[in-house]
Amino acid sequence: MRTALPVLCLILLPLSLAGLLWQARRASPPGVPSALLERLPSADLALVTSSRATRSPSTEEPSAAIADAPSTPDADVANGALGLAAAVLFESASQ
Amino acid sequence: MNLLALLRYAFRNVTLNLGRSATASAGLALVLALLASVTFLRDSFRERAAVLRAHAPELTVQRLVAGRPSVVSRALAESIVSIPGVKSVEPRVWGYLFVPALQNNVVVVGVSEAAPRLTQNQLAAGRDLDLKRNEMLAGNALASALGLRVGDTLALPPLGGAPALLNFVGMLQDQTDLIAGDTVFVSEADARKLLALPENDATDLAIRISNPSETSVIAKTIGELSPGLRTVSRDVTKRIHEASYGRRAGLFLACALPALLILLLLFFDRVSAGSSQERRSIAIQKAVGWSTEEVLTTKLFETLLIASTGCAAGILFAYLYVYGLQAPGLRAALGGASALSPSLHLTPSFGMAELLGLVSAAVVPFVAVSLVPSWRIASADPVATLRSE
């Protein structure tokens, strides 16, 4: 017992990893009927269904394949990181 | 050198300083749980997308107008089907409809007469569409969000004309949510009414190819048929999926790395300078005749005992969090947020390489930062070390 517990603690990690791998190998993906898969318009997952048309980035973003971050929101619309020139702000405020 | 005796001694040291050891182990468990959760979620998204891609057509043809996807003429299908190597061309009718009740888009898909039928046991409730009637079939997430029950009638707001009344006849199983939770299937005629799509147009064309290695040649030939045509191949879609899920996971992991570095720094600081008890303990071991090798082996065992329990706890927690609880909180960071929240039903798809990568990212530096200071103390003269205390 004095030796068994330390040895068990030491091999806990390899045992856990082996158990998870075994579990992962025998897990079968949830059955999705092929009749449904063939009806779907794109192979994109239904994760983002926003009011912006990003549900199917692979077919709707013409440059998605070479984009840095397809299906992500526009990070710097209208040069937001730089901000507007002060003159433009004053001009629009005075109108 | 009796390794088992040294292991017992190391275990006794760990239990004597239980509070300190448990804190280090818990810190490691938390960091590893975060890293493992992101890795598990990313790999499962990629695996699900790969299953979908396997059933997708080899090529999708669209028309770009002013740089944006527009509709294609159904007549184009006849030109494409005559290209050698093309097995079939299917003009598809689908699009988006904004539903004010959800403040969200739903995907409307027109089901053609040729589409394979869904059997009753493939649905959570109801039956498949009768294409001659005004009926609809919906994903589980969407039906739940709208509170629909089989037999209800729903007026979807069309893009033109009067609202179309549709009988809700079937609901998809929740395990299909990740691919179709936000989707409404209707007959092609109803989809055209809802999406205001003229009879001679289609949203895009799905091309099946006899020999997939000819995809790029056929895509080039299609591109030459008419200006403005754009083809999306399965390979391109794969690249997009890898970029989408990989980048988000990468950004998240990059944000989580400082947490691991801070943990290692704190541990290094504690081992190297903080503990005079540690210095005295090592110096006494050396003074009574322990070799440097024995001292370091004991320290290695101590660190491995802490790291092993911490890593195992972290990875097991991540597994339960992602595959048991469906990763609440993290799913929005990696998958994006939406008013419709599909249930994930993810399948573990990691391998030995991912697990070893995670463990080595945490355990190797953890062992290194604890062994180096111990080696420095063990290399010094034990009498001088004890006098300086």
Side-chain angles (χ1 to χ4, degrees):
Chain A
M1 185 63 194
R2 279 175 57 214
T3 309
L5 196 57
V7 171
L8 186 68
C9 285
L10 204 59
I11 61 170
L12 186 64
L13 182 61
L15 277 181
S16 313
L17 297 187
L20 290 184
L21 273 177
W22 179 73
Q23 186 76 16
R25 293 234 168 107
R26 63 190 281 272
S28 53
V32 178
S34 58
L36 174 63
L37 290 171
E38 285 175 27
R39 285 182 186 184
L40 292 170
S42 85
D44 298 332
L45 299 179
L47 287 166
V48 183
T49 312
S50 61
S51 52
R52 183 171 170 252
T54 51
R55 167 68 171 82
S56 305
S58 65
T59 50
E60 287 155 45
E61 294 190 17
S63 60
I66 49 166
D68 287 339
S71 80
T72 51
D74 293 334
D76 54 351
V77 182
N79 299 318
L82 296 174
L84 290 173
V88 177
L89 282 174
F90 288 133
E91 198 176 305
S92 56
S94 61
Q95 282 174 358
Chain B
M1 190 165 55
N2 186 343
L3 284 177
L4 279 179
L6 292 180
L7 178 61
R8 276 200 300 270
Y9 183 81
F11 186 71
R12 196 180 65 93
N13 275 354
V14 169
T15 49
L16 279 177
N17 300 307
L18 195 59
R20 203 177 61 177
S21 308
T23 310
S25 193
L28 200 60
L30 276 176
V31 173
L32 212 71
L34 187 63
L35 299 180
S37 300
V38 175
T39 309
F40 289 167
L41 203 54
R42 177 201 63 193
D43 289 350
S44 292
F45 282 162
R46 282 179 170 167
E47 184 263 344
R48 294 295 281 170
V51 170
L52 266 175
R53 275 200 310 274
H55 286 80
E58 281 82 8
L59 273 178
T60 306
V61 179
Q62 296 176 324
R63 181 179 293 285
L64 292 188
V65 175
R68 307 183 68 179
S70 182
V71 294
V72 291
S73 163
R74 284 166 68 101
L76 185 66
E78 285 157 29
S79 314
I80 293 175
V81 83
S82 62
I83 296 174
V86 173
K87 196 157 72 178
S88 68
V89 182
E90 185 199 348
R92 301 191 299 188
V93 177
W94 66 278
Y96 300 108
L97 208 57
F98 187 74
V99 178
L102 296 172
Q103 286 293 299
N104 217 91
N105 273 339
V106 298
V107 184
V108 175
V109 177
V111 179
S112 69
E113 297 277 354
R117 312 295 298 158
L118 285 163
T119 58
Q120 215 154 355
N121 59 5
Q122 289 171 332
L123 298 167
R127 57 168 174 81
D128 199 3
L129 299 172
D130 179 346
L131 297 177
K132 293 193 171 55
R133 298 180 184 177
N134 300 109
E135 293 180 343
M136 64 177 271
L137 187 77
N140 189 286
L142 176 61
S144 304
L146 290 173
L148 286 175
R149 288 186 182 174
V150 171
D152 288 353
T153 303
L154 184 72
L156 280 173
L159 292 174
L165 287 175
L166 296 164
N167 291 324
F168 178 60
V169 295
M171 182 167 72
L172 298 174
Q173 291 169 341
D174 65 348
Q175 62 200 29
T176 64
D177 258 7
L178 196 52
I179 58 170
D182 58 349
T183 308
V184 173
F185 294 94
V186 293
S187 70
E188 209 173 282
D190 284 335
R192 284 185 185 283
K193 275 187 220 156
L194 286 169
L195 301 170
L197 196 69
E199 188 62 37
N200 292 327
D201 289 338
T203 310
D204 57 22
L205 304 175
I207 317 284
R208 302 266 173 194
I209 292 170
S210 309
N211 181 1
S213 63
E214 293 174 354
T215 303
S216 58
V217 179
I218 292 173
K220 193 167 174 245
T221 313
I222 292 172
E224 287 163 358
L225 284 177
S226 168
L229 288 183
R230 170 180 177 249
T231 52
V232 184
S233 71
R234 245 189 342 216
D235 284 347
V236 165
T237 310
K238 182 182 178 187
R239 205 185 314 158
I240 293 164
H241 290 159
E242 295 290 314
S244 290
Y245 307 129
R247 183 184 168 95
R248 285 178 186 214
L251 280 173
F252 204 94
L253 287 175
C255 294
L257 272 182
L260 178 63
L261 291 177
I262 288 168
L263 183 78
L264 294 173
L265 192 68
L266 285 173
F267 197 69
F268 181 78
D269 188 52
R270 185 182 65 74
V271 174
S272 63
S275 172
S276 61
Q277 188 192 344
E278 188 98 354
R279 286 169 169 272
R280 197 162 50 236
S281 163
I282 293 175
I284 290 171
Q285 284 171 348
K286 288 294 301 281
V288 297
W290 285 44
S291 67
T292 305
E293 196 184 354
E294 284 169 333
V295 171
L296 289 182
T297 307
T298 311
K299 282 290 147 205
L300 178 67
F301 278 142
E302 275 180 36
T303 315
L304 284 178
L305 284 168
I306 294 170
S308 174
T309 45
C311 283
I315 291 180
L316 287 173
F317 176 81
Y319 189 90
L320 293 174
Y321 172 71
V322 173
Y323 300 113
L325 302 175
Q326 303 196 2
L330 192 59
R331 57 180 288 175
L334 253 69
S338 165
L340 291 173
S341 186
S343 51
L344 295 182
H345 289 284
L346 297 172
T347 316
S349 60
F350 52 83
M352 180 68 96
E354 285 79 16
L355 290 181
L356 287 182
L358 281 168
V359 170
S360 55
V363 173
V364 173
F366 193 71
V367 170
V369 296
S370 64
L371 275 191
V372 170
S374 300
W375 170 74
R376 275 162 52 190
I377 300 167
S379 306
D381 178 20
V383 178
T385 308
L386 284 170
R387 277 188 183 146
S388 69
E389 286 298 314

